[in-house]
Each structure stands twice: as C-alpha cells, then as structure tokens.
Amino acid sequence: MRRHTCIIRFGEGMETQVILTPAHWVYLCGVVAIIATLVCRANVVAPAILATFATAYAFNGSFPSAIESVFYGPLTAARELFNIFLVISLMIAFLNALKRLNADVRMVLPIQKVMVNGHIAFFVLAGVSYLLSLFFWPTPAVPLIAGILLPAAIYAGVPALGAALCIAIAGLGTALSSDFILKVAPGISAKAAAVALPAVADKAMLLSLITGGVALTIAYLKIRKSILKPDELHLERWEATQVTASGVVVTAGASSGGTISGSASSGSTVAKLPGRDVLTAAQDVWSRIFAIATPVAFLGIVVYMVVPRIVPGMKGPSGAAAAALVGGVAALLMVIAVAGRDWRGICRGTAEHITEGFVFSFRAMSSVLPIAGFFFIGVANTAGPILGLPPSASAPGLLADLVRAGEAYIPHNAYFVSYGILLAGMITGIDGSGFAGLPLTGALAGALGRSVNFDVSTLAAIGQMGSVWTGKTLTAWSALAAVSSFARVPVLQAVRHLAVPVITGLLISTLVAILIW
C-alpha cells in the first residue's frame, strides 16, 4: 500500500508527520463527489453509499468488510442521530394531538399581534431562535420554536423554506458558533490554541454576529417575494405537507379555501375551522386549555434552563438532558391532549400519534443516514464500528489527517493563513458535529498564528466559525435535519439555499477579522 508522507512544520522546533494512505485519497474523492452532487442539485445517497464502500475497501482491502461497512455506516449514524429522530417524533405526535383539538390555531392567535405580517414574523422568529439557542443550545430550542413560533410564522405568511433558513441561521449558526453563554466552543478553541478563553469568546461573538447578519439578510432577500399575506390557509396547507425521503414534497388533505368563521376572540373560532372536525363543548374547553398550557409549559422549560445560567451555584440540565426534558414534556402533554379529545380512545389515539411522529421523522430523515455514515467513516470517534475494527483498536481520523496535510501548503501570509484556517474549519465541520474540529483548528491557529505574527485568538475564532457554521447549517446530517423536518422542507433543499448566505457571511466576517485585529 503506497503512502504519501507530508511533513508539516508548526513554528520553530515543531513538526508533525501525516501519512496519507489510499484510504485518505478515496475518502477525499468521495467528499468531492458528494459536494459536486449537491451543487448539481441531485440526491447524494447513491454517491455516499458507493464512497463508503470504496473507502472501507481502500482501508482494509477486504471485499466482505467493505460490503459490511455499507450497512454499519447508516447503523452508526442512526445511533448518533437517534436523539434527533426521537425529539422530532414526540414533537410531531404532540402537534398532531393539538391539531385534533384545533388548539394549534388557537395557540397562535395571540402571537399574531406581534407577527402582523410575514416580514416582521421572519425577524421575530430569528430573534427568538437566537436568544433561546444562545442560552441552552439549539437541540432543545428547536422543538420549542417549532411548537409555538413556527406555526405562527407560517400563519403570518412566511414560507416554510424561509422559516427553516431563519431558524438555522439565527439558532444553529449565529448562536451556537459563538456559544457565548455556555462557552464550550470557545473553551475548546482557546485551550487548543493556548490562549485566554475571553479573547476567543469575545472575537467569536462579534464574528458570529457579522456572519449571521450577512447570512440572514441574504436569506431574507431570497425569500422576500415569497412572503404572503397572513391567512389561516397557510397553516392548513403547511400542516398537510409531508416530505418524502427522496426530497419530494407531497401535500394532501389541505383545505381548498375558506376562512375561520367568527371573530378571532369568539369561543367558536377554532371549532369551525375548514377541513377539521367540529368540536363539542367539552372538547372546545380542552382546546382552550392547551392553547394556554402549551406555551406556558415550554416557557417553564425555558425558565428552568435559563435560571441556572443567571443564579451562581444553581445547577441546571445539560444540553442532552434539556432535549430529553423537551421530548418528555411533549410526550406527556400529548397523552393528556388525546384524553381531552376522546378519553375512551386514549390508548389507540396515543399509539396512532406516536406512529405518525416516527413515520414523519423517518420519512424526512431516512436518506440522511447513509450520507452521515460516509462522513462518520472519516472521524476517529465513529469510524471504528463502520470499518469493523475491534473496540480496543485505534480508528483512523481520515478527515483530520487530510486537513493537516492541506495546511502545509498554505503560504505564511495573514490573509492566506486566516482563510486557510477558515477552510480547515469548514472541512472538519462536514462531520456534522460542529465541535469535533475545534481542537484541530485551535492547534493550527496557535502554530500558524505565531509563525506569521498574527493574533492567535482571532485565528482560533475564525476556525471556530468555519467548523460550527458548516457543521450545523451546511450538513444535512446535523441538527439542521430537525429544523427542516419541523418546517416540513427537504433538508437538502435547505442546505442548497443556506450555502450562499452562510459562505458569504463567513468570507466577510473573516475579512473583517483580518482588518480590525
């Protein structure tokens, strides 16, 4: 097996050796093929499966093992991403239960006073997404937004794609790329770069706002002409929309016309919604209760998560626990809502809604699994099971090795180094985690920054921007899949529409960083 040895020098007296094998080159070809397929607006499942097989065969030279990797890749991805599947399923089940009570429409009526039209609704959605994600990360924030604000924005006239872009840019990108409250991301970057955490955190905050501001502006201009006047039919048609694994949007059962009868404040308003069942007096009472209880319950979760960030010494839930809390509350409220609709059919209704939720999440995200499986084969933490290595064996980090090898060819100039580290962050972010590449970009920032006499904390923040923004807004196998599922748009469509705004924002924020620091 031929190997290419690349010596990379990191400052005086420092050098590291990267040995590129055929597996590295095959994996690189697979990445390029998938990116090219995305650019051509085609589905990337087939290239991902073939690239997984080819990479595994190049690594171990075993035909049976390579075939097995095609199975183990999606299986590993399913293990890593099942928490997203589960949260989506429980929230969709809950939203369907609310729909049976007509509580979903009644719940968004008060928010109409703020979201008076689609243009204002777009920026209100962005602001709330940013604040919630800044305090306790997007994973638990997205279901909260999807359960309350997303239907209101759709009602106000924001297209589903525009809502998905808005939440992704403001929450997954702007908030998480700075991680200014929890400081996990800047902490990793600062430690790897051997600089003070506040210096990285402050610069990352400014760069995230610049990137997010540019991206959000471009996204708004892209969907501005698609914004419609507020109408109940927008919500009806959106709720009847399904996304298939092939990315085709199928709408069935949407109302053909009509409006809500009665005034917005009348007790019979939602009971006479076109295309829905007329509620009994008792069911209408439950509809009113859930229209209030749903936002109150989720607001309580927000308070429970935020207060520990403000009160010193008070412990709060972690990111994973917070997501579990959201999913658990949704499941319990769903059971109560089913009982309020028909307590005799609580067992049947609950099972039906759970099934509908899982069908929805798998229909929307099933194609993500083989794609994620290919990229996970390039990450040391997840490559072992896919390649059939024993648990005690050290798995290769194909993606990180390629980045290290590429950094050796970056000229030692402030502009080249800055954009080179941005590119390194974007490449490492392809795995979908956003944070996995931070140790590498931080280490590169520390080594290259000192060698070219450029501010190390600035370079670390730039690498952090590239890694997190790419990992969370430009990869279909990240939390973006949850955003797209809730918004009912194909995730690959969201990726294509996010590419230009996000990349433009990253290029501009990096240029600003070079000029001011």
Side-chain angles (χ1 to χ4, degrees):
M1 183 180 293
R2 294 183 59 190
R3 297 184 176 186
H4 171 69
T5 303
C6 183
I7 305 296
I8 308 174
R9 288 181 172 79
F10 286 159
E12 185 177 354
M14 296 177 61
E15 67 177 30
T16 189
Q17 187 180 65
V18 177
I19 300 177
L20 298 183
T21 66
H24 289 86
W25 297 112
V26 172
Y27 183 79
L28 178 60
C29 291
V31 172
V32 173
I34 287 177
I35 294 174
T37 306
L38 283 172
V39 172
C40 295
R41 300 187 177 186
N43 195 291
V44 299
V45 172
I49 292 174
L50 295 175
T52 300
F53 171 82
T55 303
Y57 183 76
F59 175 77
N60 52 37
S62 171
F63 192 76
S65 296
I67 295 177
E68 291 171 2
S69 70
V70 175
F71 172 81
Y72 285 126
L75 180 62
T76 301
R79 293 194 188 104
E80 297 291 327
L81 301 177
F82 187 74
N83 62 324
I84 298 178
F85 277 78
L86 188 57
V87 170
I88 292 173
S89 301
L90 294 176
M91 280 300 300
I92 292 298
F94 176 46
L95 292 176
N96 286 341
L98 291 181
K99 183 179 178 180
R100 292 294 305 277
L101 279 172
N102 294 341
D104 55 337
V105 177
R106 175 169 268 148
M107 183 175 62
V108 304
L109 290 178
I111 306 178
Q112 295 174 23
K113 296 178 181 179
V114 178
M115 295 183 170
V116 294
N117 58 56
H119 302 278
I120 293 176
F122 181 86
F123 291 102
V124 169
L125 188 62
V128 176
S129 299
Y130 176 76
L131 290 176
L132 289 179
S133 300
L134 192 65
F135 276 96
F136 49 89
W137 285 1
T139 301
V142 167
L144 294 174
I145 297 164
I148 299 176
L149 290 184
L150 187 54
I154 298 295
Y155 177 95
V158 178
L161 177 62
L165 300 183
C166 179
I167 296 172
I169 291 172
L172 303 183
T174 310
L176 192 60
S177 64
S178 70
D179 195 16
F180 194 74
I181 301 299
L182 303 184
K183 289 186 170 60
V184 175
I188 297 173
S189 298
K191 185 176 181 180
V195 293
L197 187 152
V200 176
D202 293 343
K203 291 179 173 65
M205 170 60 96
L206 179 58
L207 295 182
S208 71
L209 292 175
I210 294 172
T211 305
V214 171
L216 195 65
T217 301
I218 296 175
Y220 171 72
L221 294 176
K222 285 170 68 72
I223 60 98
R224 178 172 54 90
K225 294 183 179 179
S226 301
I227 294 177
L228 304 172
K229 293 181 180 180
D231 196 323
E232 293 87 356
L233 291 179
H234 304 328
L235 191 59
E236 279 289 297
R237 290 166 181 155
W238 174 72
E239 288 178 335
T241 300
Q242 295 181 342
V243 182
T244 66
S246 61
V248 178
V249 179
V250 180
T251 303
S255 300
S256 58
T259 57
I260 292 179
S261 350
S263 64
S265 58
S266 67
S268 60
T269 297
V270 293
K272 297 180 180 179
L273 199 70
R276 300 200 184 188
D277 298 334
V278 176
L279 302 180
T280 65
Q283 291 170 339
D284 195 55
V285 170
W286 279 104
S287 176
R288 292 171 175 273
I289 291 174
F290 271 92
I292 298 172
T294 298
V296 168
F298 286 128
L299 180 61
I301 296 175
V302 173
V303 172
Y304 177 66
M305 295 177 183
V306 171
V307 169
R309 317 294 182 197
I310 302 174
V311 180
M314 184 176 179
K315 293 184 178 180
S318 63
L325 187 63
V326 171
V329 168
L332 291 173
L333 289 178
M334 182 265 297
V335 174
I336 300 173
V338 171
R341 180 68 173 79
D342 179 15
W343 66 269
R344 294 181 182 87
I346 184 173
C347 295
R348 183 188 69 256
T350 300
E352 288 177 352
H353 288 314
I354 289 291
T355 301
E356 291 168 358
F358 274 100
V359 169
F360 180 93
S361 63
F362 274 89
R363 180 185 292 116
M365 291 184 59
S366 58
S367 62
V368 170
L369 297 180
I371 305 171
F374 166 69
F375 285 100
F376 285 164
I377 205 174
V379 181
N381 292 338
T382 53
I386 303 175
L387 295 172
L389 300 177
S392 58
S394 177
L398 302 178
L399 189 60
D401 290 345
L402 287 169
V403 172
R404 290 192 184 97
E407 286 294 333
Y409 301 100
I410 297 177
H412 282 197
N413 170 278
Y415 287 89
F416 282 104
V417 167
S418 298
Y419 282 105
I421 288 184
L422 175 66
L423 179 61
M426 294 178 71
I427 293 174
T428 57
I430 290 176
D431 73 333
S433 70
F435 282 25
L438 297 182
L440 176 58
T441 57
L444 291 172
L448 296 176
R450 294 181 178 95
S451 66
V452 298
N453 196 27
F454 190 79
D455 184 67
V456 173
S457 61
T458 299
L459 291 178
I462 291 173
Q464 181 175 312
M465 293 298 106
S467 181
V468 178
W469 275 94
T470 302
K472 294 304 181 183
T473 65
L474 298 182
T475 54
W477 41 93
S478 65
L480 179 63
V483 173
S484 300
S485 296
F486 285 126
R488 301 173 190 260
V489 299
V491 64
L492 294 180
Q493 182 186 16
V495 170
R496 286 194 295 267
H497 282 81
L498 282 167
V500 172
V502 170
I503 293 175
T504 302
L506 289 172
L507 294 175
I508 292 176
S509 66
T510 301
L511 179 61
V512 171
I514 296 171
L515 295 177
I516 67 175
W517 288 312

